[in-house]
Coordinates of all heavy atoms in Angstrom, one line a residue:
K120 N 37.4 34.3 12.9 CA 38.0 33.8 14.1 C 39.3 33.0 13.8 O 40.3 33.1 14.5 CB 37.0 32.9 14.9 CG 37.5 32.4 16.2 CD 37.6 33.4 17.2 CE 37.9 32.8 18.6 NZ 38.0 33.8 19.7
Y121 N 39.3 32.3 12.7 CA 40.4 31.3 12.5 C 41.1 31.5 11.1 O 41.9 30.6 10.8 CB 39.8 29.9 12.5 CG 39.2 29.6 13.8 CD1 37.8 29.5 14.0 CD2 39.9 29.3 15.0 CE1 37.2 29.2 15.2 CE2 39.4 28.9 16.2 CZ 38.0 28.9 16.3 OH 37.4 28.6 17.5
K122 N 40.9 32.6 10.5 CA 41.5 32.8 9.1 C 43.1 32.7 9.2 O 43.7 32.4 8.2 CB 41.1 34.0 8.5 CG 41.4 35.3 9.2 CD 40.8 36.5 8.6 CE 41.0 37.8 9.4 NZ 40.4 39.0 8.7
E123 N 43.6 33.1 10.3 CA 45.1 33.1 10.5 C 45.6 31.9 11.3 O 46.8 31.8 11.6 CB 45.5 34.4 11.1 CG 45.2 35.6 10.2 CD 45.7 36.9 10.9 OE1 46.2 36.9 12.0 OE2 45.5 38.0 10.3
S124 N 44.7 31.0 11.6 CA 45.1 29.8 12.4 C 45.8 28.8 11.6 O 45.4 28.4 10.5 CB 43.9 29.2 13.1 OG 44.2 28.0 13.7
V125 N 47.0 28.3 12.1 CA 47.7 27.3 11.4 C 47.1 25.9 11.6 O 47.4 25.0 10.9 CB 49.2 27.3 11.8 CG1 49.9 28.6 11.4 CG2 49.3 27.0 13.3
E126 N 46.2 25.8 12.6 CA 45.6 24.5 12.9 C 44.3 24.4 12.2 O 43.9 23.3 11.7 CB 45.3 24.4 14.4 CG 46.6 24.3 15.3 CD 46.3 24.2 16.7 OE1 45.1 24.2 17.1 OE2 47.2 24.0 17.5
F127 N 43.5 25.5 12.0 CA 42.2 25.4 11.3 C 42.4 25.8 9.9 O 42.2 26.9 9.4 CB 41.3 26.4 12.0 CG 39.8 26.0 11.9 CD1 39.0 26.0 13.0 CD2 39.3 25.7 10.7 CE1 37.7 25.7 12.9 CE2 38.0 25.3 10.6 CZ 37.2 25.3 11.7
T128 N 42.9 24.8 9.1 CA 43.3 25.1 7.7 C 42.2 25.3 6.8 O 42.3 25.8 5.7 CB 44.3 24.0 7.2 OG1 43.5 22.8 7.2 CG2 45.5 23.9 8.0
L129 N 41.0 24.9 7.2 CA 39.8 25.0 6.3 C 38.9 26.3 6.6 O 37.9 26.4 6.0 CB 38.9 23.8 6.4 CG 39.5 22.4 6.0 CD1 38.5 21.4 6.0 CD2 40.2 22.5 4.7
A130 N 39.4 27.1 7.4 CA 38.6 28.3 7.9 C 38.1 29.1 6.7 O 37.0 29.7 6.7 CB 39.4 29.1 8.9
T131 N 38.9 29.2 5.6 CA 38.6 30.1 4.5 C 38.4 29.2 3.2 O 38.3 29.8 2.1 CB 39.7 31.1 4.2 OG1 40.9 30.5 4.0 CG2 39.8 32.1 5.4
S132 N 38.2 27.9 3.4 CA 38.2 27.0 2.2 C 36.7 26.9 1.7 O 35.9 26.2 2.4 CB 38.7 25.6 2.6 OG 38.5 24.7 1.5
T133 N 36.4 27.5 0.6 CA 35.1 27.4 0.0 C 34.9 26.0 -0.6 O 33.8 25.5 -0.6 CB 34.9 28.4 -1.1 OG1 36.0 28.3 -2.1 CG2 34.9 29.8 -0.5
E134 N 36.0 25.4 -1.0 CA 35.9 24.0 -1.6 C 35.5 23.0 -0.5 O 34.7 22.1 -0.8 CB 37.2 23.6 -2.2 CG 37.2 22.2 -2.8 CD 38.6 21.9 -3.4 OE1 39.5 22.7 -3.4 OE2 38.7 20.7 -3.8
H135 N 35.9 23.2 0.7 CA 35.6 22.3 1.8 C 34.5 22.9 2.7 O 34.4 22.4 3.9 CB 36.9 22.0 2.6 CG 37.9 21.2 1.9 ND1 38.9 21.8 1.1 CD2 38.1 19.9 1.7 CE1 39.7 20.9 0.6 NE2 39.2 19.7 0.9
E136 N 33.8 23.8 2.2 CA 32.6 24.4 2.9 C 33.0 24.9 4.3 O 32.2 24.8 5.3 CB 31.5 23.3 3.0 CG 31.1 22.8 1.6 CD 30.4 21.5 1.7 OE1 29.6 21.3 2.6 OE2 30.5 20.7 0.7

Side-chain angles (χ1 to χ4, degrees):
K120 183 74 174 181
Y121 298 104
K122 61 184 177 182
E123 297 179 358
S124 170
V125 295
E126 296 183 356
F127 207 131
T128 60
L129 299 188
T131 59
S132 175
T133 55
E134 180 181 356
H135 293 92
E136 302 164 32

